[in-house]
Amino acid sequence: MERVEAELFTDGGNDAVVRLAGRKFPGVLIQGDTLSSLRADVAELVELCSAGDLEEARHVASLLQVDLESRLQRYADALDAHGISRPF
């Protein structure tokens, strides 16, 4: 393990916006349990598509989209608040 300095642009939370030394843009730190839940949701979506249950697949996909949009907005807001251009 290596200890490094990082800049914290938001509260710690489940999706903290941080920038490591030497990086131009911050990133989003997602906790392992949250990452596992995202993977499980995508796996469920794949299973629903494979089974042909498109209605439920659309529902699961829309929930994922809302979740990711919320995280992306938090990231964008943090960059805007600190005068950092967006990498997208």
Side-chain angles (χ1 to χ4, degrees):
M1 175 176 69
E2 178 182 355
R3 291 194 178 267
V4 298
E5 287 190 33
E7 296 172 287
L8 181 62
F9 292 89
T10 61
D11 60 31
N14 235 6
D15 51 0
V17 178
V18 298
R19 180 168 53 194
L20 297 176
R23 299 299 302 212
K24 181 175 181 180
F25 295 104
V28 178
L29 174 64
I30 298 177
Q31 296 297 315
D33 59 333
T34 302
L35 182 60
S36 178
S37 292
L38 285 170
R39 189 219 51 87
D41 290 345
V42 170
E44 178 184 7
L45 180 57
V46 168
E47 288 176 22
L48 290 166
C49 289
S50 294
D53 189 350
L54 298 183
E55 184 174 332
E56 186 62 21
R58 273 191 289 276
H59 174 70
V60 170
S62 68
L63 293 176
L64 277 167
Q65 182 180 21
V66 167
D67 181 43
L68 291 173
E69 283 178 358
S70 173
R71 293 173 193 276
L72 184 59
Q73 188 61 56
R74 178 171 158 89
Y75 177 80
D77 290 347
L79 268 60
D80 291 348
H82 292 88
I84 300 171
S85 63
R86 298 178 189 178
F88 50 89

